[in-house]
Amino acid sequence: MQHRILAFIGAGNMSRSIIAGLVQAGYPADRIIAANPSRPKLDALANDYGIRITQDNAEAVRAAEVVVLAVKPQLMAAMLSALVEQLGTLEGKLLISIAAGIKVARLAEMAGGHGRIIRTMPNTPSLLGLGMTGLYAPPGIEQADRALAEQMMQAVGKTLWVEQESAINGVIAAAGSAPAYFFLFMQAIAEEAEAMGFSPEQARLLVQQTALGAAAMVEQNPELSLQTLREQVTSKGGTTAEAIKTFQQQGLMPLTAHAMQAAVARAGEMETLF
């Protein structure tokens, strides 16, 4: 793994997750800097991982080779404008964005025309090291920069490069927002289990262990399609077949497609807000 000096601008949960993953993977803690307006999150990062901290964004960026943009989207323009004003230029820095809803061209505009930018879209299971991150690099980004961004995000899970930036919105629909879809389905199963007489604790145990096992079966059987795995559980004329038939009659597949397209459409709308 490359060991360039990294500056995280913003010390929220995603920054903490990536920093934790990097340090646990052997990245030198003294080559990681976190900047944040308030001290508590910074102090926790320094205590837990031994990294460098500062409340001055410009100080962190000045010392860094790679700058991870981890502030809220609505704060991005003001933050980058202030950096350009203080430092004059971001030349020589690779910018890696983990902010949703801001396209590379807009980030470049915010950064005073700086074009060495990679955009990423991680999801919340990254907090457990089980994330799924989509990455996009515009033409002209060097392979070494792409490799560094990939290695950084692999510290918190799996990665997938997309060739067109518009596909990031597809990543949002299929991975970024998708944990909530599974939580909703799990909630529905748990609530019906409770209605059948199980306690809330029993219903949650049934659902979470089943979901964990199902995900593990998918991961450990890459040669089998999702349809095949489903069919292997579905005996003809049995209980599972009745449940699956009901889902299909009620339109689960088209409903899911409609929901994912709604997420894509909203992601496109958000790109116009910043």
Side-chain angles (χ1 to χ4, degrees):
M1 179 182 286
Q2 302 174 49
H3 290 161
R4 302 189 218 177
I5 300 174
L6 310 178
F8 286 78
I9 308 303
N13 287 336
M14 198 58 71
S15 288
R16 181 179 177 85
S17 299
I18 297 170
I19 290 168
L22 287 169
V23 172
Q24 289 164 8
Y27 206 98
D30 62 0
R31 297 186 74 79
I32 301 174
I33 311 165
N36 200 61
S38 58
R39 293 286 305 191
K41 291 181 180 179
L42 290 178
D43 290 337
L45 285 169
N47 291 335
D48 293 344
Y49 305 112
I51 67 166
R52 297 153 61 187
I53 59 173
T54 177
Q55 291 176 272
D56 185 339
N57 289 344
E59 177 185 343
V61 173
R62 190 178 290 113
E65 300 165 273
V66 179
V67 181
V68 182
L69 306 176
V71 301
K72 294 179 180 179
Q74 60 267 32
L75 303 178
M76 188 71 74
M79 183 273 289
L80 284 172
S81 176
L83 280 177
V84 171
E85 183 176 347
Q86 290 175 275
L87 301 178
T89 179
L90 297 176
E91 186 176 354
K93 316 287 185 185
L94 170 64
L95 306 186
I96 299 177
S97 172
I98 64 173
I102 310 180
K103 298 178 76 171
V104 166
R106 178 62 180 134
L107 286 167
E109 183 182 345
M110 293 176 178
H114 185 80
R116 194 177 164 201
I117 300 171
I118 292 177
R119 186 178 171 193
T120 75
M121 187 67 244
N123 65 5
T124 54
S126 299
L127 302 176
L128 304 177
L130 295 171
M132 183 68 237
T133 300
L135 302 97
Y136 168 74
I141 297 296
E142 294 182 359
Q143 183 57 39
D145 287 347
R146 290 172 61 100
L148 185 281
E150 182 173 35
Q151 290 165 357
M152 186 180 80
M153 300 315 297
Q154 283 178 344
V156 292
K158 306 290 187 183
T159 57
L160 175 70
W161 284 96
V162 298
E163 296 302 317
Q164 302 296 326
E165 186 172 13
S166 59
I168 284 288
N169 291 345
V171 171
I172 291 172
S177 298
Y181 315 160
F182 292 109
F183 297 151
L184 179 62
F185 192 47
M186 292 168 72
Q187 177 187 346
I189 297 172
E191 288 181 355
E192 185 57 25
E194 288 182 45
M196 293 175 178
F198 292 101
S199 71
E201 295 76 19
Q202 289 172 327
R204 180 171 178 129
L205 176 63
L206 288 167
V207 171
Q208 72 185 34
Q209 186 62 23
T210 302
L212 181 64
M217 288 187 72
V218 171
E219 183 179 46
Q220 293 176 28
N221 294 278
E223 75 285 359
L224 299 179
S225 70
L226 296 176
Q227 178 177 335
T228 298
L229 286 167
R230 189 256 301 166
E231 289 172 345
Q232 288 179 345
V233 189
T234 311
S235 301
K236 190 171 294 186
T239 58
T240 307
E242 279 301 304
I244 294 297
K245 183 171 72 173
T246 302
F247 282 131
Q248 292 173 334
Q249 288 174 341
Q250 295 297 317
L252 177 63
M253 302 294 271
L255 177 61
T256 302
H258 186 69
M260 291 177 67
Q261 288 301 324
V264 170
R266 179 55 182 159
E269 293 171 358
M270 290 176 63
E271 290 176 344
T272 68
L273 301 178
F274 309 109

